[in-house]
Amino acid sequence: MKLLHIDSSILGENSVSRKLSAAIVEQLKKKHSNLEVDYLDLGTKDIPHLTGAILLGQDVEQSRLGEELVDQYLAADIVVIGAGMYNFSIPSNLKAWVDRIAVAGKTFKYTAEGAVGLATNIQKAYIASSRGGIYGDSSPADFQEAFLKQIFNFTGVTNIEVFHAEGVNISPELKEKALQETLEKISHI
């Protein structure tokens, strides 16, 4: 069984979403003794933002990178994404990754009835989310978790679980409380 673990925070060791995603991966390792983990750190791996030349296949090097990212995504049985909320959305490096894996004919196709996801081999996706403020589960300001759920659904992944720690920038005490409460929830995977 293959797990694709993606972190997108630029905060390194200070990242709450990285701590949460690592905890999810550790729990899954306990459940699945045969788990192979493929790690992608978007905080250190440069994936240039989509350009016309990349989209049209005119940049051979970037086209090859896009194919590698799609293949990596499609090879996974489980995906774990660590994503902090950056200005109400996902980090731009994660958006660059999304733009490379949302590829017509590879991870989705258009039909007369609408788009159909093709990444149906991915059994489950976990989103490890951190937020500086407190937004709640149905906030109109959530362009982070809702966006990631939409991308997973769009590509055919429908079994999605979100673990989030909120209020992590309000105070050190609230950060620690939110982190511990979310880690406790993760321990029950």
Side-chain angles (χ1 to χ4, degrees), residues 11-28:
L11 298 177
E13 294 176 9
N14 297 313
S15 167
V16 171
S17 65
R18 285 176 181 268
K19 289 176 179 142
L20 298 177
S21 71
I24 292 168
V25 171
E26 286 308 308
Q27 279 301 114
L28 293 171

Side-chain angles (χ1 to χ4, degrees), residues 91-103:
S92 65
N93 56 12
L94 184 53
K95 177 63 167 82
W97 176 82
V98 166
D99 286 343
R100 297 305 189 85
I101 62 98
V103 178

Side-chain angles (χ1 to χ4, degrees), residues 65-77:
L65 173 62
E67 289 172 12
E68 289 170 10
L69 294 170
V70 167
D71 290 345
Q72 183 182 42
Y73 181 63
L74 291 174
D77 299 297

Side-chain angles (χ1 to χ4, degrees), residues 15 34 48 59 66-67 88 116 121 134 147 151 153 156 184:
S15 167
N34 64 337
D59 185 326
E67 289 172 12
F88 306 106
V116 175
N121 59 296
I134 297 174
F147 176 78
I151 289 301
N153 277 302
E184 172 62 24

Side-chain angles (χ1 to χ4, degrees), residues 104-126:
K106 300 275 187 173
T107 58
F108 72 93
K109 66 180 178 179
Y110 291 115
T111 70
E113 291 78 36
V116 175
L118 300 175
T120 55
N121 59 296
I122 299 173
Q123 300 163 18
K124 184 144 187 175
Y126 294 89

Side-chain angles (χ1 to χ4, degrees), residues 8 19 34-36 38 43 52 54 60 67 70 79 85-86 91 93 96 98 103 126 148 182 186-187:
S8 61
K19 289 176 179 142
N34 64 337
L35 196 63
E36 294 176 41
D38 192 3
I54 293 170
V60 175
E67 289 172 12
V70 167
V79 178
M85 180 184 271
Y86 287 29
N93 56 12
V98 166
V103 178
Y126 294 89
L148 290 171
T182 307
I186 290 170
S187 74

Side-chain angles (χ1 to χ4, degrees), residues 141-167:
D142 176 11
F143 305 106
Q144 174 210 27
E145 292 174 8
F147 176 78
L148 290 171
K149 287 180 198 174
Q150 176 61 33
I151 289 301
F152 280 126
N153 277 302
F154 184 71
T155 62
V157 183
T158 57
N159 188 359
I160 305 162
E161 191 166 356
V162 178
F163 293 95
H164 66 242
E166 292 196 304

